[in-house]
Amino acid sequence: MSAHPEQHQQKVTVRSLQAMKQAGEKIACLTAYDASFAQVLDRAGVDVVLVGDSLGMVVQGNETTLPVTMSDMLYHSKAVSRGLSRSMLMVDMPYLSYTSAQSALEHAGSFMQQANAQMVKLEGGAEQAEIVSRLAQHGIPVCAHLGLQPQRVHKLGGYRVQGREQDAADAMLDEAQQLEQAGADMMLLECVPQQLADNITQALAIPVIGIGAGAGCDGQILVLYDILGISKGRIPKFSRDFMAETGSIEAAVKSYVEVVKKCQFPGSEHVFS
Ligand code: KIV
């Protein structure tokens, strides 16, 4: 079987994502951790494939994403890269791999050089602006990640919705704008109230991707194993088991892409207020 079955299709880039936001076309994103699944996602029309540090939980079986190393991320990113043709490859910066602008540059550079990454994602607010700016100066596109930040789970005291209080919501909007000004090319919002996600999406020129953030975002992302119903434990409120509805992996991913594009997912049962 060909590793690149649809080479005629144009690769998704930061420019095409920007154009999708401007045109009001929803951006469909999913995680993947190996070449075979990556190929299925690429064929199904997923726009952005994230090698998430969620692999620490869904692949390695850990309780959190904290044990994931650079070496783990490089291994999985290289594998995913070999399965992609059209989709953009985004890679998560693992815990403690961006404690300074210099270490962020070295580690993000490794993803770009060794795994063909087109964008890196890092968690954190305004305190990351300097790092975002340094990566941007070196031509490395960055997706900033606000709201629930799983790498801070112990500080947060659990996986909880963020930005419910007015001062926290105001602070998140302000931090989103600072990260955009620092050079971020995309924003991911995890587990934030729908109204706040809508406000941030409207305030930013860059695409905003939501997970547990409502249908008003420019795009959606979910963890692949959740939509296939094979994650350990119960699937989160904001996710949906597309495998149970369709019966095959390929059909489940296609159905996810279709409902995201048609703005039929997430529904009111998947959002927080
Ligand atoms: O690691 C991951 O899978 C993520 C998702 C929450 C999008 O960051």
Side-chain angles (χ1 to χ4, degrees):
M1 190 187 296
S2 163
H4 299 286
E6 296 189 7
Q7 274 171 338
H8 60 279
Q9 293 212 20
Q10 288 230 314
K11 188 89 181 156
V12 176
T13 65
V14 284
R15 282 170 63 88
S16 45
L17 293 177
Q18 188 66 55
M20 287 168 80
K21 174 166 181 136
Q22 274 155 15
E25 183 189 339
K26 297 287 180 186
I27 301 167
C29 317
L30 271 178
T31 66
Y33 314 101
D34 68 38
S36 298
F37 274 117
Q39 195 177 230
V40 172
L41 270 51
D42 194 281
R43 272 203 304 259
V46 173
D47 300 304
V48 179
V49 173
L50 168 68
V51 182
D53 62 355
S54 52
L55 70 84
M57 299 169 82
V58 299
V59 176
Q60 297 174 336
N62 296 306
E63 288 299 315
T64 71
T65 59
L66 305 190
V68 177
T69 63
M70 270 303 293
S71 146
D72 295 333
M73 291 306 297
L74 272 170
Y75 174 88
H76 287 279
S77 303
K78 286 179 192 174
V80 168
S81 164
R82 294 181 200 117
L84 298 183
S85 171
R86 172 190 169 270
S87 314
M88 171 181 281
L89 174 59
M90 173 160 79
V91 177
D92 251 344
M93 301 283 289
Y95 184 55
L96 299 186
S97 68
Y98 48 105
T99 51
S100 69
Q102 191 53 31
S103 70
L105 184 57
E106 280 162 21
H107 292 131
S110 303
F111 292 133
M112 308 296 284
Q113 286 187 310
Q114 296 176 43
N116 299 315
Q118 292 166 272
M119 186 177 285
V120 297
K121 176 166 81 60
L122 51 86
E123 298 179 12
E127 76 284 358
Q128 307 294 20
E130 189 197 334
I131 288 176
V132 171
S133 159
R134 177 78 82 91
L135 296 183
Q137 281 161 14
H138 288 83
I140 302 178
V142 178
C143 175
H145 180 152
L146 286 174
L148 173 58
Q149 296 159 36
Q151 292 176 7
R152 294 173 195 220
V153 59
H154 296 307
K155 190 80 177 159
L156 297 173
Y159 296 101
R160 349 170 66 87
V161 178
Q162 302 294 307
R164 275 194 161 133
E165 300 76 25
Q166 193 56 51
D167 56 347
D170 293 345
M172 203 185 297
L173 173 58
D174 182 54
E175 297 201 280
Q177 287 171 319
Q178 289 189 51
L179 289 160
E180 178 178 59
Q181 275 161 22
D185 291 282
M186 195 150 84
M187 178 69 56
L188 186 143
L189 298 178
E190 178 166 356
C191 291
V192 304
Q194 183 168 25
Q195 185 58 59
L196 173 58
D198 289 355
N199 294 344
I200 294 175
T201 304
Q202 282 155 27
L204 299 191
I206 56 175
V208 176
I209 307 300
I211 174 165
C217 296
D218 300 308
Q220 300 295 325
I221 187 161
L222 287 176
V223 170
L224 176 65
Y225 292 6
D226 286 343
I227 74 154
L228 298 181
I230 56 169
S231 295
K232 225 171 47 162
R234 122 190 119 74
I235 72 165
K237 168 186 162 80
F238 54 75
S239 196
R240 179 165 137 188
D241 185 345
F242 287 83
M243 183 71 164
E245 298 168 19
T246 57
S248 86
I249 293 172
E250 193 120 24
V253 175
K254 276 192 179 140
S255 169
Y256 166 75
V257 172
E258 189 181 328
V259 294
V260 168
K261 296 277 177 194
K262 289 184 176 162
C263 215
Q264 293 168 345
F265 176 86
S268 53
E269 69 277 30
H270 303 114
V271 302
F272 302 105
S273 50

